[in-house]
Amino acid sequence: MKSNSENSLKKNEVGTMQGIFQSLSYVGPAADVAILLLGTVEFALVASPLAIIVAWLSYGLFMIMPYEFSKYKANAGSYYAYAAGSTKNGVFGPMALFSWMGENFTGQAFGILGLSAFVFAISTYISKIPYLWVVFAVIITLYMFILPYLGIKISTNYMAITGLMEVLLLIVGSFFIIIRLGSANSLRPFYLPTGGALGGFFFGVIFSIVDFTGLGTVTTISEEMKNSKRNVKKSILIAWLLAGLALIPATYALVVGWGLPSIASFAVITRSGVVSFL
């Protein structure tokens, strides 16, 4: 019979850096730029950077819950454990559990779709090869299974390295575009629209909130984290700041780089490209 230590999670395996990028890996800022910004720009148009800022601040309010709960409970059940522990007889625990399971299943599909869109952006020739997406889907699915199987330290270290590279790539790329634009830069993307455009702006905000989904997933590794009651909340805060730093300049660079007068064509052209890929 195995001892309790053999059946329990390993303590003190990961630190704050791994926790930060556990969250950011689920957010997938590069995939957001490749896919989800399509919905934001389609509705918010020129004001898309402002829509992203409002969504980022709104999601920061959502993060108050895991930030506060993490001070009292370190549990791999994450939101499920919080909901069960804070309600009589754990009545809301199963509801949170099934919601969390569904989100995790769809999250994997989003990752595969995000890489597919990225590949299409690199080469339209590749997209013409029939059923190539099946090969990508199988390889990525196996990869996403094998990496966590190797252990939490290996998988989270991998996420920290690649996640940092992803964020730096977006930040450097965004500021490179912004600097190259020179006098074409404008404060107009940060003005709140008026009249009929205001409704579209708030639709853009709703779409943009999804860009930050996953910032609380560091709570899923809280049992394996060093000094979790301090480091989980630090990880949530820093991941939230990095997500904003990666996505806000990228959205601005996309909108102004495409051209403010022609921004309405962005969604039409991008969607037709993605559909032809799929």
Side-chain angles (χ1 to χ4, degrees), residues 29 49 94-95 110 116 155 174 181 208 210 227 258 277-278:
M95 185 186 302
F110 172 73
S116 300
S155 61
S174 300
L181 287 170
S208 301
V210 183
N227 197 1
W258 188 272
F277 174 79
L278 296 175

Side-chain angles (χ1 to χ4, degrees), residues 155-271:
S155 61
T156 53
N157 283 340
Y158 171 85
M159 286 189 288
I161 294 168
T162 56
L164 183 60
M165 291 171 61
E166 179 181 5
V167 170
L168 288 174
L169 178 64
L170 287 173
I171 294 171
V172 172
S174 300
F175 281 99
F176 176 78
I177 293 171
I178 292 168
I179 293 169
R180 286 289 301 271
L181 287 170
S183 60
N185 283 289
S186 171
L187 291 176
R188 192 178 153 206
F190 302 102
Y191 293 164
L192 184 67
T194 58
L198 189 60
F201 169 78
F202 282 110
F203 265 117
V205 171
I206 292 170
F207 275 99
S208 301
I209 286 175
V210 183
D211 292 346
F212 301 100
T213 299
L215 280 173
T217 51
V218 60
T219 55
T220 61
I221 62 170
S222 58
E223 286 191 58
E224 295 109 316
M225 209 168 190
K226 301 170 186 174
N227 197 1
S228 67
K229 291 182 180 179
R230 179 174 65 90
N231 288 334
V232 168
K233 61 182 184 179
K234 272 180 60 179
S235 298
I236 290 173
L237 180 58
I238 296 172
W240 176 72
L241 292 171
L242 285 177
L245 190 58
L247 289 176
I248 295 168
T251 307
Y252 172 82
L254 184 153
V255 170
V256 181
W258 188 272
L260 300 184
S262 58
I263 193 61
S265 67
F266 173 80
V268 176
I269 294 174
T270 306
R271 186 186 296 106

Side-chain angles (χ1 to χ4, degrees), residues 42-176:
E42 181 170 9
F43 289 102
L45 299 173
V46 171
S48 292
L50 181 60
I52 288 287
I53 291 173
V54 173
W56 176 64
L57 293 173
S58 300
Y59 212 91
L61 296 177
F62 300 164
M63 289 298 97
I64 292 174
M65 187 275 285
Y67 183 93
E68 292 297 327
F69 269 104
S70 66
K71 296 177 183 178
Y72 307 102
K73 183 182 286 290
N75 191 293
S78 186
Y79 294 118
Y80 159 69
Y82 297 158
S86 60
T87 55
K88 187 176 181 180
N89 298 322
V91 65
F92 286 151
M95 185 186 302
L97 172 63
F98 287 115
S99 173
W100 185 252
M101 288 172 61
E103 186 176 345
N104 274 274
F105 283 129
T106 55
Q108 311 313 313
F110 172 73
I112 295 171
L113 182 60
L115 182 58
S116 300
F118 178 72
V119 170
F120 173 80
I122 292 175
S123 172
T124 54
Y125 173 77
I126 294 176
S127 69
K128 296 176 182 177
I129 302 175
Y131 303 109
L132 182 65
W133 66 270
V134 177
V135 177
F136 276 113
V138 171
I139 292 174
I140 296 167
T141 302
L142 289 173
Y143 188 72
M144 292 166 70
F145 171 79
I146 292 171
L147 194 62
Y149 182 80
L150 295 176
I152 187 169
K153 184 172 285 188
I154 293 174
S155 61
T156 53
N157 283 340
Y158 171 85
M159 286 189 288
I161 294 168
T162 56
L164 183 60
M165 291 171 61
E166 179 181 5
V167 170
L168 288 174
L169 178 64
L170 287 173
I171 294 171
V172 172
S174 300
F175 281 99
F176 176 78

Side-chain angles (χ1 to χ4, degrees), residues 17-33:
M17 182 64 74
Q18 290 91 341
I20 292 167
F21 288 98
Q22 164 72 15
S23 287
L24 270 181
S25 68
Y26 204 99
V27 172
D32 289 339
V33 173

